[in-house]
Amino acid sequence: MSKLIAFTLLAACFCFQIANAFVVGVTPSPRTHHSSGTPLALQASTQTDDLMTPAYEIEKIPIRIGHGFDIHRMAPIDDAGQPVVIGGVTIDHKPQPWIDADGKYVEKGCVYETKLGVVAHSDGDVVYHSIVDAIFGALTLPDIGQVFQDTDPRWKACDSSKFMEYAAQVMKNCGYKIGNVDVTLILERPKVASFKPAMKENIVALLKTTPGRVNIKARTHERVDSVGELRSLSCHVVLTLELATEPSI
């Protein structure tokens, strides 16, 4: 009996070692690797690298669909410490009727005329953040908040075009290119119609795609909740990724 127990334990130990070797040696394909051209500031930490290299295969299906959403608070520019940047464009504007919900400048709930800024760890670009999130989502990868954490000092006041460049490289490394991008920007004011062409140009360039694949819409929130009171702005993005059977543009 003692010999049988010893043999059983030896066999179990051997099986465990074999199984462990397979786990350690697994090399899922494809993996997302960071190209040598990635800016030093965006070279991922070990934790981020682990997030972006899942233990499963990102299957080469012809079309992938992603959705991204972002929202940031707006405040008087002196409080925010930075301007309103949307789609890589600084939105220059006259003083706007911001609702002072806390009563810091005027009676609580009353209008305070002020130029606005975005309260955020990075530059708070809701369009870029939503696009990045949609690309990651389409590829079954973690959300932008996990990859570029708002507690990481590297991203303090960071130009969000760097996040776009990183997401575009991830997309390319996974074998995909942009199918189309549909952006819905939601803010009461400032008005952004005149800035939309420049936003589109920036997105096309960063994602290495064409103007016929990128659309930007903007709408108000009918004076409802924090967006309608100019205390925040938000964005939705829906996009498709196509299998890159030909070299990317």
Side-chain angles (χ1 to χ4, degrees), residues 42 70-73 80-85 117-130 132 144-145 148-164:
L42 285 182
D70 195 30
I71 185 169
H72 281 293
R73 291 190 297 119
Q82 58 186 3
V84 177
V85 177
V118 173
V119 179
H121 183 65
S122 66
D123 64 5
D125 192 324
V126 293
V127 168
Y128 281 0
H129 294 180
S130 297
V132 170
I144 187 174
F148 301 111
Q149 298 181 13
D150 62 8
T151 56
D152 191 328
R154 289 180 298 169
W155 318 134
K156 180 64 176 176
C158 182
D159 180 345
S160 293
S161 67
K162 303 304 180 185
F163 304 158
M164 288 277 281

Side-chain angles (χ1 to χ4, degrees), residues 77 83-86 89-96 114-116 189-195 199:
I77 192 165
V84 177
V85 177
I86 305 174
V89 179
T90 300
I91 309 300
D92 190 25
H93 59 279
K94 298 177 181 179
Q96 301 293 322
T114 179
K115 287 191 174 184
L116 298 169
R189 292 187 183 179
K191 301 299 182 183
V192 296
S194 63
F195 298 100
M199 295 179 195

Side-chain angles (χ1 to χ4, degrees), residues 5-44:
I5 293 172
F7 176 78
T8 302
L9 289 172
L10 180 63
C13 182
F14 176 75
C15 290
F16 174 78
Q17 289 175 335
I18 293 294
N20 194 47
F22 274 104
V23 171
V24 172
V26 67
T27 53
S29 176
R31 282 179 175 260
T32 302
H33 298 289
H34 306 295
S35 70
S36 59
T38 302
L40 180 62
L42 285 182
Q43 289 181 2

Side-chain angles (χ1 to χ4, degrees), residues 31-32 34 48-54 136 141-142 147 166 170:
R31 282 179 175 260
T32 302
H34 306 295
T48 302
D49 192 54
D50 289 343
L51 285 171
M52 303 305 280
T53 53
F136 289 167
L141 295 171
V147 179
Y166 180 84
V170 169

